[in-house]
Amino acid sequence: MTGLDDPILPTSIAWGLLAAFSVLWVVLGWWLGRRNKTAEDHMLAGRNVGLALATATAMATWVTANTTMTAPQLALQLGVWGMLGYSLGALGLILFAPLARRIRELMPRGFTSGDFIRLRFGTFTWRVFLVVSLIYAFGWLVSMAMAGGVLINALAGIDYRVGMTVILTVCVVYTLLGGLRAVIGTDFIQTIIIIGGAAFIAWLTIDKVGFEAIHFNLMEERPELLNLLFPAAIMFLFNNLLFGVGEIFHSNVWWSRAFAFGRNVGFRAYLFGGLLWLPIPIVAGFIALATPALGINVPAADMVGPLVAAEVLGLTGAIVVFIVVFAALASSLDSLLAATSDLVTRDIYRGHIRPQASEQHQFHATKVIVVLLGLLTWLAASYRGEIPIVGSLAELLYFTGAFVASAIWPIVAGLYWQKANPQGAAWSMILGSGIGLASYFLIGFYVAALVGAAVSLAVMVLTTWLMPRPFDWGRLARSDAEVPA
Amino acid sequence: MTISITALSVIVVIATSVATLTPILLLALFIRDWKKGCLW
């Protein structure tokens, strides 16, 4: 029996793996970014990323530590629907495919999602959007830094703060050195590692435990996990669908890629990325269903994946999980650091503080902001468990659900409805986030995104129907490089 | 309504098979882009 008190990987091996992969990512980041000369090179990798790298970066960024840890956790808590519901997160990538094409057509020289909201809806909505977007980005950053510390501690007994600091520092350094080119290049290798490792663990779990033993023991001990009419799980399924769509539609992580991928690449990259991502939460989550058959005591739900892997595969399993999780963490942390620093540079620094900042000035500013973001994330993640709201990873993740889901309809309306009302877009985010958050506390984490999206849709439709505001699409292409007012 | 062993195993085996083939597909795409000079 395995528990959190017994590290499953010798500390010396863990430090060796950490050192080897840290050096690999940093050297690769430096090498890929050595030709970056302007803010555009650094932020958008030259705007001509090909299909292979584009598909891999879409997948790698969407496979986070939350996928590798929360998918098993949700399978353990919500059963079959937990892992299937998580896999519906792929729809966010698939549905973003046509949006990516539209974004590239409307704003061929755009930089951030904030640029679009500012030009499409004006200053007030832009500021509301920045608040929503930055709350989400910071929540995601902190949740991944926490996941890094928790996993390294549980797998190898390395102190939580030390592990979290190492992984965060490595990501900050190579993102700083290579910008988006480094992020996308490392993402390709990380995707291969993550998916190959997850599939390897799943095949061995099937081989060593077997479906019959898994099914029989679940029926004996946790029959609700096999119930297809588990109400909370079905609610979770729809909530997760909207959460995933909201995360992708609004976040600059995905918009910056839409601007960076070559012409005609974005649509196919997001479509392929989504289709290939779909099975990953099932592969990662399924192994949690083996806990009753293995007789594993799970002291913390978000540690179930690594515990099962180590129980089934011993030292090899622990090593594979460690490498997979390190790759998953790095692939998302780097993307988020790069995209959030771009958003802060363009929309906060250039947009609000120094409107006349030159390209070169922004190039330097984005690097300083990456370091500051890393420091802020480190501070917040250092106090895991000491801030009442920051409980388990899933709770932290779904806390941001109300914010992101409330941004779905303003984005869709902004891209496709010529008469979308700008004030309506702002109020749909404000009311959607507020009422969604209330439902998070009053009902449960699994409804926040659902309620946020529903309220946001109602406000957007109602305001546009009552007060339509015609918009000239050509304005986006003409003025996407202009200095904000 | 409980999911059967067959349904559970079919879902998991298909998902794991797709995940196994994905790295191969990505490497093939990479080689194609590299040969055509359109990696970046």
Side-chain angles (χ1 to χ4, degrees):
Chain A
M1 196 173 287
T2 312
L4 281 178
D5 294 337
D6 315 308
I8 50 188
L9 187 65
T11 308
S12 56
I13 294 179
W15 274 116
L17 292 170
L18 271 179
F21 280 95
S22 298
V23 170
L24 175 66
W25 304 142
V26 170
V27 170
L28 203 58
W30 163 79
W31 185 75
L32 288 165
R34 71 196 186 286
R35 284 180 299 177
N36 288 345
K37 300 285 182 246
T38 64
E40 195 167 35
D41 288 341
H42 191 81
M43 290 176 175
L44 299 174
R47 293 189 191 268
N48 198 30
V49 178
L51 184 61
L53 292 170
T55 305
T57 192
M59 290 182 69
T61 305
W62 207 218
V63 177
T64 65
N66 298 325
T67 314
T68 51
M69 287 172 70
T70 309
Q73 176 186 348
L74 291 168
L76 188 71
Q77 291 171 334
L78 300 172
V80 173
W81 280 129
M83 62 185 198
L84 293 179
Y86 205 110
S87 77
L88 282 185
L91 281 179
L93 286 177
I94 294 167
L95 293 174
F96 193 68
L99 271 67
R101 180 159 58 194
R102 177 96 173 139
I103 289 164
R104 193 76 156 79
E105 283 169 2
L106 289 175
M107 299 182 72
R109 308 303 302 169
F111 274 85
T112 65
S113 51
D115 281 345
F116 168 76
I117 295 289
R118 172 174 55 83
L119 292 166
R120 179 68 182 86
F121 290 133
T123 307
F124 176 60
T125 310
W126 175 43
R127 287 178 177 151
V128 173
F129 175 79
L130 287 177
V131 171
V132 167
S133 201
L134 290 173
I135 287 175
Y136 161 77
F138 195 61
W140 193 12
L141 265 173
V142 175
S143 82
M144 280 187 296
M146 281 166 55
V150 168
L151 267 164
I152 291 171
N153 174 257
L155 289 170
I158 295 172
D159 179 69
Y160 166 79
R161 281 190 176 87
V162 174
M164 185 268 292
T165 305
V166 169
I167 196 155
L168 196 55
T169 306
V170 170
C171 290
V172 166
V173 170
Y174 78 77
T175 305
L176 187 70
L177 292 173
L180 190 61
R181 211 181 281 271
V183 170
I184 290 176
T186 51
D187 275 358
F188 186 83
I189 301 171
Q190 287 157 354
T191 308
I192 306 268
I193 291 173
I194 295 162
I195 301 171
F200 173 71
I201 292 168
W203 282 126
L204 287 180
T205 306
I206 294 168
D207 183 52
K208 293 205 172 183
V209 187
F211 288 112
E212 281 195 14
I214 290 172
H215 197 274
F216 176 79
N217 283 281
L218 281 172
M219 285 298 285
E220 291 289 308
E221 295 179 33
R222 303 281 307 275
E224 75 277 9
L225 299 185
L226 295 171
N227 185 0
L228 293 175
L229 299 175
F230 194 175
I234 293 170
M235 191 77 88
F236 163 77
L237 188 135
F238 288 106
N239 187 71
N240 202 55
L241 171 66
L242 289 167
F243 183 37
V245 171
E247 278 185 286
I248 291 180
F249 277 25
H250 93 283
S251 171
N252 195 49
V253 168
W254 310 100
W255 280 70
S256 65
R257 280 163 174 70
F259 293 127
F261 294 169
R263 200 171 288 277
N264 302 322
V265 168
F267 179 85
R268 286 178 295 152
Y270 279 110
L271 182 64
F272 291 163
L275 291 173
L276 296 174
W277 189 91
L278 190 73
I280 297 171
I282 298 173
V283 173
F286 149 75
I287 62 170
L289 298 180
T291 47
L294 291 166
I296 295 175
N297 174 35
V298 183
D302 52 5
M303 281 308 301
V304 63
L307 288 176
V308 172
E311 184 74 18
V312 172
L313 306 173
L315 183 62
T316 310
I319 291 173
V320 172
V321 166
F322 194 85
I323 294 171
V324 165
V325 169
F326 191 16
L329 283 161
S331 68
S332 303
L333 263 174
D334 60 6
S335 297
L336 200 54
L337 281 167
T340 310
S341 70
D342 293 353
L343 192 69
V344 174
T345 304
R346 291 280 300 181
D347 295 88
I348 304 289
Y349 179 71
R350 178 178 176 268
H352 289 86
I353 300 168
R354 198 167 169 176
Q356 303 304 329
S358 66
E359 270 263 322
Q360 206 56 25
H361 204 107
Q362 290 177 64
F363 183 40
H364 294 304
T366 193
K367 293 187 168 196
V368 173
I369 290 164
V370 166
V371 176
L372 291 176
L373 269 176
L375 279 172
L376 271 177
T377 304
W378 181 85
L379 276 173
S382 291
Y383 292 94
R384 172 181 178 260
E386 292 161 39
I387 303 168
I389 209 165
V390 183
S392 79
L393 287 173
E395 284 167 4
L396 174 61
L397 187 65
Y398 287 103
F399 177 76
T400 61
F403 294 95
V404 300
S406 73
I408 295 173
W409 302 109
I411 293 287
V412 173
L415 283 168
Y416 291 102
W417 297 358
Q418 201 196 2
K419 295 180 180 176
N421 184 294
Q423 299 295 315
W427 284 104
S428 71
M429 286 188 275
I430 294 168
L431 293 173
S433 299
I435 299 173
L437 269 187
S439 71
Y440 174 94
F441 290 109
L442 296 173
I443 303 171
F445 78 89
Y446 46 85
V447 294
L450 205 60
V451 173
V455 171
S456 164
L457 174 64
V459 175
M460 198 69 231
V461 169
L462 204 64
T463 52
T464 299
W465 179 51
L466 294 173
M467 294 168 287
R469 294 282 185 276
F471 182 76
D472 170 20
W473 295 116
R475 242 193 90 195
L476 292 169
R478 284 194 299 273
S479 54
D480 65 0
E482 76 183 19
V483 176
Chain B
M1 193 174 130
T2 302
I3 190 168
S4 66
I5 299 180
T6 311
L8 179 66
S9 55
V10 165
I11 290 168
V12 173
V13 167
I14 289 175
T16 312
S17 302
V18 173
T20 307
L21 292 173
T22 297
I24 299 164
L25 179 70
L26 286 174
L27 285 169
L29 272 177
F30 184 91
I31 293 167
R32 190 203 65 153
D33 282 357
W34 180 57
K35 281 186 173 172
K36 286 166 66 180
C38 57
L39 268 182
W40 297 99

